[in-house]
Amino acid sequence: MTAPIDRLLGIMARLRAPDGCPWDRAQDFASIAPYTIEEAYEVDDAIRQGDMGQLRDELGDLLLQVVFHAEMAKEDGHFDFDAVATAISDKLVERHPHVFTDGTADTAEAVKLSWEELKAAERARKAEAKGRTASILDDVGLALPALMRAEKLQKRAARVGFDWPETAQVIAKIEEELAELKEELAAERRDAANIHEEMGDLIFALTNLARHLKVDPELALRDCNAKFERRFQFIESALAAEGRTPDQASLAEMEALWQRAKAGEKLKKSA
């Protein structure tokens, strides 16, 4: 009986064959990459919903992305799926000496510290191979969502003491960045590039505050997006009951409905 992973690999090879699927054959690493990212978020969504059936399906979709990339790499003579599996297996063994060799780590915190030390050594080896000095910021993925990458950059810098010791100082920095943005907006001739830069500085400072408060900024913004959707859809439903659409209502009317939606959510929370 064919193992499920071998069946999947066979299906992918068949789809990429000269007489396979025209769409699958037309893809390359760059065209598939956005789907890989999307599928990772779908996995996260299934976990957040606590839907195990959906999680199984979404994990399958994510695995397909790995198989797709591995098949394309195999066709170009770079590596295959077995090489991918071998590489991650080797890495797991290397980064868990307390399990597979003679290392010791009795707590989750000790494991994390050991993991970071091993990753630092790995960064140093990679930098040396490129003829440069390693940076603590190396390997913070450029493809990460900007908000998530900002948080990771800040965490890395904080490890070596480059961080505000008090939350109040972070808030002061936010106020400073907001003042600079206001100054740009109040300029007689607005400079779009300067506004762009100041807006980025403000978002970066807000991300820093979230980190200090131990709030995941990416997750907080996602939850805020969901809240906005709920409340705006309440506005749409309320107006539809009157035979109207949002573009037929005034801002004051929509704001009043927004406040009704907000009050209703607060009531449900307190119930």
Side-chain angles (χ1 to χ4, degrees), residues 219-255:
L219 185 55
L221 186 56
R222 269 195 250 173
D223 287 343
C224 185
N225 289 341
K227 180 170 61 179
F228 180 86
E229 281 186 295
R230 287 195 310 270
R231 293 180 182 176
F232 190 79
Q233 287 166 356
F234 176 87
I235 292 172
E236 290 178 311
S237 297
L239 290 172
E242 300 174 1
R244 294 192 295 161
T245 57
D247 59 319
Q248 296 170 325
S250 68
L251 178 58
E253 288 177 303
M254 288 191 284
E255 175 61 23

Side-chain angles (χ1 to χ4, degrees), residues 42-92:
E42 294 292 346
V43 168
D44 177 74
D45 186 55
I47 292 170
R48 283 163 55 77
Q49 292 184 42
D51 188 330
M52 291 298 103
Q54 183 182 346
L55 178 58
R56 176 202 60 207
D57 293 345
E58 297 300 346
L59 285 171
D61 290 343
L62 185 57
L63 176 59
L64 173 62
Q65 300 303 308
V66 177
V67 168
F68 208 139
H69 284 286
E71 176 61 28
M72 291 188 290
K74 179 181 177 181
E75 293 166 2
D76 292 342
H78 299 303
F79 56 82
D80 59 10
F81 181 83
D82 284 349
V84 173
T86 298
I88 188 57
S89 295
D90 290 347
K91 183 182 289 187
L92 286 171

Side-chain angles (χ1 to χ4, degrees), residues 147-216:
L147 200 61
M148 189 182 296
R149 188 164 191 267
E151 182 190 24
K152 286 183 176 292
L153 288 170
Q154 292 167 2
K155 282 182 176 179
R156 287 279 186 93
R159 287 181 200 162
V160 294
F162 192 71
D163 192 17
W164 297 111
E166 302 292 337
T167 301
Q169 294 169 298
V170 183
I171 294 173
K173 185 64 176 176
I174 291 171
E175 292 170 343
E176 175 189 324
E177 298 297 353
L178 180 58
E180 290 179 5
L181 177 59
K182 287 180 176 179
E183 184 178 336
E184 287 296 334
L185 293 173
E188 188 173 334
R189 294 186 62 182
R190 288 186 178 183
D191 187 312
N194 287 346
I195 292 172
H196 174 97
E197 181 178 350
E198 296 300 343
M199 192 72 238
D201 290 345
L202 178 58
I203 294 171
F204 193 85
L206 286 167
T207 303
N208 201 15
L209 177 60
R211 182 177 62 84
H212 271 257
L213 298 176
K214 302 190 185 309
V215 171
D216 183 331

